[in-house]
């Protein structure tokens, strides 16, 4: 199994930017400044329209991964994006071009598409229904259910144990 590429990690960061603590969502990207800083650190433009597109793309990607929306709902992130083959001494390399404000959103949607194609079913929501995080399971067994064994895994085990001991 291959290690996640840099864009897969970026995609997980985006998907996991709305964690829930004690039943309350904390949107890491609710603040324009934080989102724009994150975007600039990853090659984005850091503009206000980009921030809007990134939030929209994130929320739609979350729905698509949860099976609650169709991939077509991601279309806006790929608006104006094209790939052109260029010949060089190694053969063909693909030059991607995108409007500056969609560059990062397009990369994230393409990272999702890459996982769909090469690692189908491995990007999924955490099995704890009170958790809003996602996981990318790269293990051979492909049986991971929790975003993290330390938090959700142990919590769900404790809950099952509690139910069992109450049933007795
Ligand atoms: Zn979780």
């Amino acid at each position: 199994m291959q290690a996640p590429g840099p864009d897969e990690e970026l995609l997980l960061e985006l998907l996991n930017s709305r964690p829930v603590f004690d039943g309350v969502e904390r949107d890491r990207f609710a603040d324009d400044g934080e989102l724009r800083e994150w975007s600039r650190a990853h090659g984005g433009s850091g503009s206000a329209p980009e921030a809007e597109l990134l939030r929209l793309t994130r929320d739609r990607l979350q729905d698509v991964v949860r099976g609650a929306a169709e991939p077509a709902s991601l279309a806006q992130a790929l608006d104006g994006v094209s790939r052109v083959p260029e010949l060089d001494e190694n053969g063909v390399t693909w030059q991607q071009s995108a409007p500056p404000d969609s560059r990062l959103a397009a990369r994230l949607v393409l990272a999702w598409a890459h996982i769909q194609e090469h690692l189908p079913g491995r990007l999924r929501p955490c099995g704890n229904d009170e958790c809003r995080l996602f996981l990318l399971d790269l293990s051979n067994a492909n049986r991971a259910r929790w975003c993290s064994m330390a938090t959700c895994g142990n919590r769900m085990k404790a809950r099952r144990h509690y139910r069992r001991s109450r049933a007795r």
Side-chain angles (χ1 to χ4, degrees), residues 76-99:
Q76 206 173 321
L78 297 182
D79 227 12
V81 178
S82 63
R83 265 182 184 175
V84 176
E86 255 176 33
L87 284 163
D88 57 26
E89 65 272 22
N90 299 317
V92 164
T93 49
W94 290 88
Q95 297 300 324
Q96 188 166 306
S97 72

Side-chain angles (χ1 to χ4, degrees), residues 88-164:
D88 57 26
E89 65 272 22
N90 299 317
V92 164
T93 49
W94 290 88
Q95 297 300 324
Q96 188 166 306
S97 72
D101 289 340
S102 353
R103 202 166 46 215
L104 187 55
R107 243 178 82 191
L108 289 155
V109 168
L110 293 173
W112 165 80
H114 185 87
I115 292 171
Q116 287 301 102
E117 187 182 348
H118 298 282
L119 302 163
R122 287 175 176 269
L123 176 65
R124 46 190 187 257
C126 176
N128 174 4
D129 54 16
E130 285 164 15
C131 174
R132 302 272 280 279
L133 301 185
F134 294 82
L135 62 128
L136 179 60
D137 187 353
L138 298 175
S139 68
N140 284 325
N142 191 21
R143 268 192 234 117
R145 294 174 61 193
W146 324 114
C147 63
S148 138
M149 200 59 218
T151 54
C152 288
N154 285 331
R155 207 169 295 153
M156 297 306 277
K157 258 195 219 157
R159 203 184 293 175
R160 272 201 305 272
H161 179 78
Y162 174 73
R163 275 204 210 108
R164 262 202 306 273

